[in-house]
Amino acid sequence: MAESKYPNYPPQITDAQNEYLLTCIKNWSILNGLAVRPSPTFVPSIIDPSGSIAVTAPVTVFPSLFPRSCFDEARAIQRAYNELYAAIARDRGWLKAIVEELIEVDDFIAKLWNVHLQVEKEGYVQVLEGHDLSLGIFRSDYMLHQESEDHSPTLTIKQVEFNTIASSFGGLSTKISQLHSYLQSLALPPTPPPLNDPSSFPQNPSIDSLSLGLLSAHKAYGPSKTSPSLPLCILFIVQDSEANVFDQLAISTPLQTTHGIPTFRLPFSSILAHTEISNSPSRTLIYNPPHGPSAQHEVTLCYLRAGYSPSDYTSETAWSARLHLERSAAIKCPSILTHLAGSKKIQQELATPDSPHLSRFLGMTSSADMMDRIRNTFTAIYPLDDSPAGKTAIALATDAEKSADYVLKPQREGGGNNIYGTKIPAFLASLGDDKRKWRGHILMKLIKPPTLRNTIFRNGKTQSGEVIGELGIYGVCLWRNGKGDAGSVKGAEKKGEMLENSEAGFLLRTKGRESEEGGVAAGFGAMDSPCLVDI
């Protein structure tokens, strides 16, 4: 793409221009919160024992070229994707059948499901009290895929994964778009037409859109359910020593300053220490701020930016904390069922050729054309089981040559978990003779993105070279689960009312061509923004 039509992008710059741009990037980013806490490998804790230092988040110096048609398509189908995953989370019977395939081989999935079973046995308080609401802040991640390597390849978007919990960087993604717009205004060096057209640099509404999504759930909760009434608040459930704090603050701050909603950050490890559930049938969640224990608040919404990884559950106390939240009347973002809906196994079930599942979940709300557009984003994904597709996958995954075109994924969120290419056969062999362990993974055909060029600024240093990008589209949806038989198709169709559904901005992450992973927080990628081009 870049080589054939835009061979001179990004523009060549002199050493003096490069130094000036980097100075502007460092100053602008700290001034505007495009920042992270540094990793211990960059700033050792002995130098910053109080955790006070902030540094520029990893960023690209230039916005990366991205086909306008692919960008527009990714945004256009997000509302249907929101509908799809909300419907999956509502359909407990269908979800149960999928999850039960994993619980024998994946302890993490099994324990998440057990949380649901415990709450279901007691009764979900939201159903009992008639306000069964769930909030989804989703992100659908894509890479460009080129069908051939000629000079005019067909470029399409192919889905990497769908995130239903802790979909990060909605705060910083707005800011990197603003940074690149600021750098464009410096005109050093000037960007040639047509790349300098304002329409090439889309405004990114992710901060406002995600904040408004949280606001809508807070309002939908209604008045205090305690007697006497308590002030209402939103809780951000975060990881201890969170490096990505400024991304989260960009979303929470407008809730506090613009909308007047008390918004608190609570480490996942401190849930049980600082919250309690009332003894009333409503099971309201009460927050006791450690800085003011007497100033109790009733929690309307728990927004989880932690709890997505096994590393967050270091003891049974951590699992008790997740159960504690799920039992409560507070709206969860996500609920335990919405969390499970984001597992890779679900993605594989949807992407199976001739799968009936899209019609099951979207037949009532989306057109046949929209379902086809969603199908077109799927790449080949296989289970590793005894089914015909599973046997095909096992043959591919254990072949030293054929495995080179695939990636093996576990049921995990966050970067650094995947096994790529020719490393797959040895990894599967390391699992031993018990083939049941293989079922905890999916095999996905590698997406082949076009190569671009850019410069990445990370930890005070720049590196220029070939890069590839990953586009994420945020979605916000608030729905009422309703009542009925969740285990039947009829019940699934009768249940549910979508109260809010919107596309909510975008995220572009860029990494070196040689890097297999793309997570910014995991140390692999960099924040980027698109420069839209017509190809």
Side-chain angles (χ1 to χ4, degrees):
M1 178 177 70
E3 293 84 353
S4 59
K5 196 167 184 179
Y6 303 98
N8 298 319
Y9 189 88
Q12 296 294 314
I13 58 177
T14 66
D15 289 343
Q17 289 173 329
N18 182 67
E19 182 176 352
Y20 178 66
L21 284 176
L22 294 183
T23 297
C24 292
I25 287 173
K26 289 182 284 187
N27 292 341
W28 191 97
S29 65
I30 297 301
L31 173 65
N32 292 278
L34 180 54
V36 293
R37 297 290 186 202
S39 69
T41 57
F42 181 49
V43 179
S45 57
I46 193 172
I47 295 177
D48 184 28
S50 63
S52 301
I53 293 177
V55 298
T56 299
V59 298
T60 60
V61 174
F62 303 97
S64 289
L65 302 182
F66 202 93
R68 189 186 307 273
S69 60
C70 293
F71 179 80
D72 291 344
E73 177 68 2
R75 298 187 77 174
I77 62 177
Q78 184 60 39
R79 294 181 71 251
Y81 258 120
N82 293 346
E83 290 268 7
L84 173 61
Y85 275 84
I88 290 172
R90 291 197 303 266
D91 195 337
R92 298 179 191 175
W94 187 86
L95 194 57
K96 177 177 183 287
I98 303 300
V99 170
E100 286 184 343
E101 294 183 30
L102 301 173
I103 57 179
E104 291 184 4
V105 296
D106 192 311
D107 184 60
F108 184 59
I109 295 292
K111 289 186 173 181
L112 289 173
W113 184 246
N114 187 55
V115 170
H116 159 66
L117 292 178
Q118 291 182 72
V119 181
E120 185 178 53
K121 182 178 180 180
E122 182 182 13
Y124 274 91
V125 67
Q126 294 93 339
V127 175
L128 299 174
E129 294 294 306
H131 59 276
D132 190 7
L133 300 173
S134 291
L135 178 68
I137 291 183
F138 300 146
R139 197 185 70 223
S140 187
D141 292 339
Y142 306 93
M143 294 181 76
L144 291 173
H145 178 68
Q146 53 184 9
E147 300 294 341
S148 64
E149 296 183 0
D150 58 29
H151 290 295
S152 300
T154 300
L155 292 174
T156 58
I157 51 170
K158 294 297 181 182
Q159 189 180 66
V160 178
E161 63 182 359
F162 193 91
N163 303 275
T164 62
I165 182 170
S167 302
S168 60
F169 291 110
L172 297 193
S173 60
T174 290
K175 295 181 181 296
I176 183 64
S177 295
Q178 293 170 345
L179 169 65
H180 281 156
S181 293
Y182 167 68
L183 296 179
Q184 287 290 315
S185 72
L186 301 178
L188 284 176
T191 302
L195 299 181
N196 61 354
D197 189 285
S199 69
S200 296
F201 306 99
Q203 296 291 312
N204 193 342
S206 54
I207 288 178
D208 290 341
S209 297
L210 298 181
S211 293
L212 289 174
L214 297 172
L215 175 65
S216 68
H218 173 81
K219 290 181 176 179
Y221 179 88
S224 172
K225 296 162 180 52
T226 60
S227 182
S229 297
L230 290 174
L232 304 178
C233 77
I234 293 175
L235 282 186
F236 276 50
I237 308 298
V238 301
Q239 293 179 321
D240 294 333
S241 303
E242 174 62 70
N244 200 24
V245 58
F246 304 105
D247 173 58
Q248 297 166 7
L249 288 173
I251 297 170
S252 65
T253 300
L255 294 169
Q256 187 90 42
T257 59
T258 302
H259 303 288
I261 300 170
T263 305
F264 302 101
R265 297 172 57 81
L266 178 64
F268 191 82
S269 62
S270 300
I271 290 171
L272 295 179
H274 300 303
T275 67
E276 60 186 90
I277 294 177
S278 69
N279 292 324
S280 66
S282 62
R283 281 188 238 154
T284 50
L285 184 65
I286 309 300
Y287 175 57
N288 303 298
H291 56 274
S294 61
Q296 289 187 324
H297 285 71
E298 180 176 344
V299 181
T300 62
L301 171 67
C302 292
Y303 176 35
L304 274 71
R305 294 294 294 262
Y308 57 85
S309 168
S311 62
D312 289 320
Y313 299 85
T314 56
S315 67
E316 286 304 313
T317 301
W319 285 107
S320 296
R322 186 67 186 271
L323 174 62
H324 178 78
L325 295 182
E326 199 70 15
R327 290 184 62 243
S328 78
I331 299 169
K332 269 71 67 178
C333 180
S335 69
I336 204 80
L337 293 176
T338 308
H339 183 172
L340 286 163
S343 66
K344 303 300 184 291
K345 180 65 176 175
I346 301 298
Q347 184 185 10
Q348 175 258 305
E349 289 286 338
L350 295 173
T352 299
D354 302 318
S355 166
H357 301 311
L358 284 184
S359 296
R360 175 188 178 94
F361 294 117
L362 293 181
M364 300 286 289
T365 58
S366 296
S367 66
D369 175 68
M370 179 57 72
M371 287 188 281
D372 285 340
R373 290 164 71 180
I374 289 179
R375 286 190 187 96
N376 289 338
T377 67
F378 296 156
T379 188
I381 306 177
Y382 304 94
L384 293 178
D385 57 21
D386 295 329
S387 67
K391 292 177 180 178
T392 297
I394 290 172
L396 293 169
T398 54
D399 187 287
E401 294 184 2
K402 293 179 180 178
S403 62
D405 290 329
Y406 293 86
V407 55
L408 191 71
K409 293 186 173 186
Q411 313 297 321
R412 297 289 179 269
E413 300 294 337
N417 298 304
N418 300 332
I419 309 298
Y420 287 83
T422 55
K423 298 176 183 177
I424 295 174
F427 173 79
L428 290 175
S430 73
L431 297 180
D433 296 330
D434 187 356
K435 296 299 189 292
R436 291 180 303 175
K437 295 180 180 178
W438 295 22
R439 297 206 304 267
H441 299 77
I442 62 168
L443 188 72
M444 181 176 180
K445 191 170 181 62
L446 284 171
I447 302 167
K448 298 179 179 179
T451 299
L452 304 173
R453 296 191 64 83
N454 210 325
T455 298
I456 292 175
F457 177 72
R458 174 192 290 277
N459 292 344
K461 299 179 181 179
T462 59
Q463 185 174 4
S464 300
E466 293 186 340
V467 298
I468 53 178
E470 186 171 314
L471 176 70
I473 305 298
Y474 294 101
V476 170
C477 55
L478 176 69
W479 67 91
R480 177 174 286 111
N481 289 310
K483 298 180 180 180
D485 180 6
S488 70
V489 176
K490 183 178 179 182
E493 291 173 351
K494 291 171 66 177
K495 280 162 50 97
E497 177 188 3
M498 191 67 76
L499 304 178
E500 302 280 348
N501 185 9
S502 62
E503 178 262 315
F506 55 89
L507 164 70
L508 186 63
R509 291 169 294 174
T510 291
K511 62 183 180 179
R513 179 81 189 189
E514 71 285 351
S515 175
E516 292 176 333
E517 299 284 357
V520 178
F524 304 107
M527 302 292 298
D528 198 351
S529 71
C531 174
L532 301 181
V533 295
D534 297 307
I535 58 171

